[in-house]
Amino acid sequence: MSEPAVSAGKLTKCFGSFTAVDAIDFAIRAGECFGFLGPNGAGKTSTMRMIYGFSPVTDGELNVLGYDVKTEIRSIKCRLGVIPQEDNLDPDLKVLQNLIVYARYFDIKKAAAVARAHEVLEFVQLWERREEHIRFLSGGMKRRLTIGRALMNEPEILIADEPTTGLDPQARHLVWQKLRQLQSEGVTLVLTTHTMDEAAHLCDRVAIMDQGKILDIGTPSELIDKYVLPEVVEVRVAVGRMEPLIMKLQQLSLEFDAVGDVAYIYARQGGEWETALSSEPGVDRLVRRRASLEDVFLKLTGRVLRD
Amino acid sequence: MSVLRLPLLKVSYRAVRVWQRNLSVLLRLWKTETWPPFVEPILYVVALGLGLGGYVSRIEGLSFLQFLAPAFVATAAMFVASFECLFGSFVRMEFQKTFDAILATPVNVEEVISGEILWGGSRAVFASLGVLVILAFFGLVHSPWALLTLPVAFAEGLMFASLAMIFTSVAPAIDSFNYYITLGLTPMFLFSGVFFPIDSLPRGLQILAWFSPLTHAVAMQRALVLGHLNGHLLFDLLWMLVVTFIAANIAIDLMARRIIK
């Protein structure tokens, strides 16, 4: 097997006495799309920032493309593309200029930068807008331009921190399509997300993180098989009717989580119990669906709100 | 002690990339950015020299305007370099996240801050050039040595850019700069030999004035514009270079700590 694109051993990041990333191990294969999944504050962004050399590693090992981030970060940065969580396009420069100026940070010569910018803008469908001011771009266009900017140095690894947060569904699908296309061209993708949909759409493998630790790593379907049953029935009840419902579920010896006014019931398949439940007093709605990565995620990290 | 770590040693030619980014932006905004350095000195020369000057007797054998005008070569550089590395750098760091964007590339944080300081120094040269052109127009430049005011303006600009950057590194919000302006720049402007020779101040204030970086810049620029060269100018230059070296290292170190987490 070829050398991993990114590998971490006991990787740790502390801010003062707070441990944001707690001795995690992982290896990202060249050419795969690897996702870090977790609630806010899980340590995803801190991990990403160490990979692209923005944050110093507190402890442990971190190798990117065979280089040690502690000593050879410049060699790594030359071969990485970074799509940050916050938009940081240059508002004083137009679309094309943003790319040309960015290419200069990589010592790309002017003529080569112009040629590359043309390719990249065609790819992210912004060539027609090359003379536009940044402030006139929609959120989706800005995000595409940020992706384009990250491609200026023809990176081997593309790092995307929540690449579609805040985008509308059309814009999100276009971003996904572009990212998949890049992966098919051989680029390794490393991304963070807290939308399961995104992880399921894009990622070959995901690492589920919580409180600085990796809870598990696997393909989305492996994780679903491992942690939840294939079917989920969501039952919503009227105020005050949860207690009796829970008793009923225990009687039927079903596996479930109760959160607020909804009970999530995990099952191998539907059955008579469903009909029985729908006729329970106070049951407003009963929906059966396939188990998703979201259920795994919530099962592992808990259904309680995080801040 | 941050200066002992000499973060300037980590700076490569890549600092110029950051300087170039700022130049690209300036060239795009040239309509609003290039004329003030030429117009402001006209206002000063007319109001203070021609207006106020009529009421002031001769200073060190010069008319008030002849004495005052060359000092503006130095004050313009101070204000422009300081504002660039206070407001300009702060906006790029906190609001536009420009530094974060650059730090995802092979450019390191030491180079980002050095590039910003270099840029502050360069804008100071442009500001001093504006004043010099206007002074020449009013017949107030008396010596070809005046051309040397431009490299001196660069050194002065680097010094004020570095000092401003130290303050920017600890500024919690953009309105904090009022402290630096009111307690730093304004007193320097008034007590560094711009409007009157510092020997006319009480002894205590004279010593304070010696510690004002602007004092040394004003002395040099006045001497060069008037062609009154003397050995003491080398000391002024050395003073500025030493302060710049120390301030730049401290500024880079503090900014690196603020940005890199």
Side-chain angles (χ1 to χ4, degrees), chain B residues 14-30:
Chain B
R14 285 187 173 85
V16 176
R17 300 287 177 242
V18 179
W19 183 93
Q20 285 176 305
R21 178 262 164 211
N22 290 338
L23 181 65
S24 296
V25 171
L26 181 84
L27 292 176
R28 220 185 70 61
L29 307 174
W30 67 273

Side-chain angles (χ1 to χ4, degrees), chain B residues 4-16:
Chain B
L4 295 179
R5 276 202 293 275
L6 295 182
L8 263 177
L9 292 177
K10 292 187 191 159
V11 175
S12 77
Y13 71 93
R14 285 187 173 85
V16 176

Side-chain angles (χ1 to χ4, degrees), chain A residues 99-217:
Chain A
L99 301 184
I100 305 291
V101 168
Y102 198 76
R104 222 158 38 199
Y105 301 132
F106 290 89
D107 288 340
I108 299 170
K109 297 261 187 307
K110 181 73 190 275
V114 171
R116 179 66 182 158
H118 191 156
E119 275 171 33
V120 158
L121 286 175
E122 293 280 8
F123 176 72
V124 296
Q125 300 173 19
L126 286 171
W127 176 245
E128 308 302 320
R129 303 227 173 216
R130 62 192 175 279
E131 290 304 320
E132 192 81 271
H133 290 275
I134 298 301
R135 64 176 178 278
F136 297 133
L137 300 183
S138 68
M141 290 179 196
K142 281 186 191 160
R143 192 33 63 114
R144 264 144 56 206
L145 183 56
T146 306
I147 294 174
R149 190 181 66 175
L151 298 176
M152 283 302 288
N153 60 323
E154 304 186 44
E156 290 159 58
I157 302 180
L158 195 58
I159 293 179
D161 197 359
E162 296 187 12
T164 60
T165 298
L167 299 186
D168 63 35
Q170 283 82 0
R172 190 164 70 229
H173 278 275
L174 185 52
V175 166
W176 285 346
Q177 184 197 325
K178 294 299 164 193
L179 292 177
R180 277 196 303 262
Q181 200 173 333
L182 287 166
Q183 195 199 349
S184 71
E185 289 164 15
V187 178
T188 306
L189 295 181
V190 183
L191 55 91
T192 71
T193 181
H194 47 220
T195 68
M196 304 311 116
D197 217 19
E198 182 156 278
H201 258 89
L202 291 175
C203 297
D204 299 312
R205 290 192 308 146
V206 293
I208 297 183
M209 285 191 82
D210 194 27
Q211 297 179 341
K213 290 191 157 52
I214 289 180
L215 305 179
D216 206 348
I217 298 179

Side-chain angles (χ1 to χ4, degrees), chain A residues 13 15 49 52-56 74 77-78 80 82 86-94 97 101-102 104-107 133 149, chain B residues 10-14 17-18 20-22 24-25 28-29 96-108 111 259-261:
Chain A
K13 177 72 195 178
F15 299 104
R49 287 180 161 208
Y52 71 84
F54 185 90
S55 287
R74 268 227 245 252
K77 281 169 145 195
C78 290
L80 287 188
V82 178
E86 280 178 280
D87 257 321
N88 57 24
L89 293 164
D90 218 317
D92 297 321
L93 300 171
K94 294 177 181 179
Q97 276 181 315
V101 168
Y102 198 76
R104 222 158 38 199
Y105 301 132
F106 290 89
D107 288 340
H133 290 275
R149 190 181 66 175
Chain B
K10 292 187 191 159
V11 175
S12 77
Y13 71 93
R14 285 187 173 85
R17 300 287 177 242
V18 179
Q20 285 176 305
R21 178 262 164 211
N22 290 338
S24 296
V25 171
R28 220 185 70 61
L29 307 174
Q96 302 185 356
K97 305 282 175 195
T98 309
F99 294 177
D100 288 353
I102 300 174
L103 290 173
T105 74
V107 179
N108 68 25
E111 288 154 354
I259 295 167
I260 304 295
K261 298 237 164 59

